[in-house]
Amino acid sequence: MDQQALKRRAHDVLRLNSHGSWTTPAPGYYPHQWLWDSCFIALGLARVDPALAAHELVGLTRGQWSNGMMPHMIYSRGWPQRLEARLWARSQLAPLRHRTSDITQPPVLAIAVERVAASLPGRERGPFLALMLPVVVRFHEWLYRERDPEGTGLVALIHSWESGMDDSPPWGYALRELPRVDPQWKFIHNMTNRDERATDVDAQRMMGLVQVINRAEADNDVLYRTSPVLVRDVSFNSILAAAGESLARVADEVGYDLPEKLVENHARTRRALETLWDEESKQYYSFDVRMNRLIDIPTVATFMPLYAGSASPERAEELRRLLVDPTAFGSIHPIPSVPLGDPAFQRRRYWSGPSWINMNWFVIRGLERYDFYEEAEWLRLRTLGVVDTNGFREYYDPISGEGLGAHDFAWTAALVLDLLG
Ligand code: GLC
């Protein structure tokens, strides 16, 4: 592998997707700004262009609602007639000047802020953090206030899109009772192969859930009490725990006082993650609040508490074994989003089997956290290898390595830059 060439190609993909101060996930297919995509993009840009990385995150602040929510999408101007932008009921809380979605996405922001701040020259760091810290604090406060009103430590999601893993099988389970909605869902499939996207049934249910959210006028209090779908997602909460650590470190560095309650909540999240462990199968699962049980369908999300650092050494060792097991997650091109032997596994379909570079990135960092350096290096090299051979795609067939989904996918390029660095 020619690492210098790979680095150049990755940087080119980010240039191709750049809109100046922010970056789209993929040309054509994803023309807007997405929350966690931009955080991954900033992590990569921090390696090659710290000032632009800072702009990427500042660009996200355009979308913040007056209650603190960071929306999962900020729509591009010039696409107002596109179905996506008209999907959501307009909330009074949304910013006036930008059209956004009414739901959030994993809170990678604090993690990206820490990384980008560290890459900036000293005199730019202060102003950047002065701008970003209050944004992150309000976002996290919103998460706890409106998505964990019971103070469990685990925030609950109201749509699978909030998890970032749209059609992951546990989410398919959580959505199973929703009515299928006919109109308005076809855009989800409009450009790539149907067998690489959510099934029609899943897509229709996701749209049905948008209607539930619209009917509640995106009122989180109403949704928390009445929505048929409410899930304490293991991946989202692991990211939140790690984001809490990032936030504490940067706040400490610049002498910014974090609200005490928020600090307590982050600690509670870290502890509560361990309630998502299932001793019988020795894996972590998301919790279905409506059913009051763990959704025991295995996915790559089981490894996320490694990233959070919440898992005990014993649990981490169980996960390490599962990761390299060739009948489970140890495929030739890891990490399959669903383990190979599972009935839900589909090698080409979106979050139901393919390997995703962002999940690999989290797991590599998680393995390093537990001193599993050999496994981390194995996964890092396999990850760089699959991209080098098959291009900067959205996801990959975990058996053949074939690139799937969108082309020139920005977070794949960005995280390659980080993994090369
Ligand atoms: C898909 C992914 C989601 C991502 C978005 C934009 O919807 O499931 O995680 O943020 O595309 O890339």
Side-chain angles (χ1 to χ4, degrees):
M1 183 191 331
D2 180 344
Q3 298 211 354
Q4 277 312 318
L6 184 60
K7 185 172 174 181
R8 270 197 306 276
R9 283 161 60 208
H11 199 176
D12 285 346
V13 169
L14 294 182
R15 286 198 196 95
L16 177 73
N17 281 294
S18 177
H19 275 230
S21 59
W22 61 275
T23 310
T24 57
Y29 197 76
Y30 293 119
H32 312 290
Q33 188 176 23
W34 265 262
L35 178 55
W36 79 331
D37 294 67
S38 277
C39 295
F40 296 129
I41 289 162
L43 286 168
L45 282 174
R47 296 277 183 182
V48 289
D49 191 342
L52 199 57
H55 281 305
E56 186 75 33
L57 299 181
V58 172
L60 285 173
T61 65
R62 297 176 301 153
Q64 188 164 40
W65 284 24
S66 60
N67 60 357
M69 186 190 76
M70 294 294 286
H72 100 297
M73 293 174 70
I74 305 172
Y75 292 99
S76 288
R77 292 182 194 282
W79 293 77
Q81 298 314 318
R82 281 279 297 246
L83 193 54
E84 299 100 294
R86 286 186 283 121
L87 204 61
W88 304 98
R90 287 201 93 162
S91 165
Q92 303 252 7
L93 304 168
L96 281 176
R97 294 179 54 231
H98 301 283
R99 200 122 192 195
T100 74
S101 63
D102 291 359
I103 56 172
T104 191
Q105 231 184 2
V108 187
L109 187 59
I111 296 160
V113 165
E114 182 184 24
R115 180 72 193 86
V116 170
S119 72
L120 287 171
R123 70 197 133 72
E124 286 166 33
R125 202 175 300 155
F128 171 70
L129 287 176
L131 183 76
M132 294 306 299
L133 279 176
V135 171
V136 175
V137 166
R138 289 178 55 231
F139 177 32
H140 285 206
E141 286 184 326
W142 171 80
L143 282 170
Y144 287 111
R145 188 174 65 243
E146 305 209 355
R147 296 304 186 78
D148 184 25
E150 296 165 78
T152 66
L154 298 173
V155 305
L157 306 188
I158 58 170
H159 198 295
S160 66
W161 294 340
E162 293 196 313
S163 74
M165 302 189 209
D166 312 6
D167 77 327
S168 181
W171 274 101
Y173 173 84
L175 267 62
R176 75 199 174 286
E177 305 255 316
L178 283 171
R180 296 168 51 165
V181 174
D182 205 31
Q184 294 200 334
W185 57 272
K186 285 214 163 79
F187 75 85
I188 291 182
H189 297 293
N190 64 1
M191 267 160 122
T192 46
N193 293 335
R194 298 282 286 260
D195 70 337
E196 297 171 19
R197 294 285 161 188
T199 62
D200 288 356
V201 174
D202 279 346
Q204 286 171 299
R205 288 184 177 141
M206 291 181 216
M207 296 305 292
L209 197 44
V210 170
Q211 295 194 340
V212 169
I213 295 168
N214 283 343
R215 274 197 297 272
E217 293 172 10
D219 182 325
N220 283 284
D221 183 39
V222 172
L223 288 162
Y224 193 91
R225 283 186 287 105
T226 65
S227 169
V229 176
L230 197 65
V231 173
R232 299 193 180 120
D233 186 84
V234 62
S235 174
F236 191 107
N237 280 285
S238 298
I239 293 169
L240 180 58
E245 293 178 306
S246 284
L247 183 60
R249 280 190 297 263
V250 276
D252 189 48
E253 190 190 319
V254 295
Y256 181 97
D257 270 336
L258 290 178
E260 228 168 84
K261 184 141 178 240
L262 184 60
V263 175
E264 270 167 36
N265 278 331
H266 286 140
R268 192 172 297 150
T269 300
R270 172 167 304 282
R271 288 193 301 273
L273 275 173
E274 295 312 298
T275 65
L276 301 177
W277 176 259
D278 172 55
E279 192 49 41
E280 202 183 312
S281 61
K282 307 220 178 292
Q283 294 187 49
Y284 291 95
Y285 300 112
S286 296
F287 184 83
D288 187 320
V289 181
R290 295 293 177 243
M291 296 292 288
N292 194 29
R293 64 190 285 269
L294 292 175
I295 312 173
D296 55 355
I297 304 173
T299 72
V300 62
T302 188
F303 300 109
M304 290 299 284
L306 294 177
Y307 182 70
S310 63
S312 64
E314 293 73 31
R315 289 182 180 180
E317 173 56 23
E318 293 291 351
L319 293 176
R320 187 199 64 76
R321 254 185 259 162
L322 189 67
L323 178 66
V324 297
D325 178 350
T327 66
F329 290 96
S331 65
I332 300 176
H333 299 286
I335 307 167
S337 39
V338 170
L340 301 187
D342 193 86
F345 173 76
Q346 297 182 65
R347 61 194 279 184
R348 302 174 67 84
R349 196 182 291 289
Y350 214 26
W351 291 95
S352 297
S355 300
W356 289 74
I357 303 307
N358 64 331
M359 299 316 290
N360 286 16
W361 183 86
F362 281 123
V363 177
I364 291 165
R365 297 295 178 237
L367 290 165
E368 288 167 351
R369 196 166 177 162
Y370 283 84
D371 296 343
F372 294 136
Y373 293 113
E374 207 179 300
E375 289 78 4
E377 187 59 4
W378 161 77
L379 187 54
R380 191 181 76 89
L381 292 176
R382 305 270 16 165
T383 303
L384 292 174
V386 81
V387 178
D388 191 40
T389 311
N390 300 283
F392 297 88
R393 298 297 297 271
E394 190 177 359
Y395 39 94
Y396 300 85
D397 181 321
I399 300 165
S400 70
E402 182 189 345
L404 302 167
H407 292 257
D408 295 311
F409 196 62
W411 88 37
T412 298
L415 296 175
V416 158
L417 285 176
D418 191 58
L419 292 175
L420 281 171

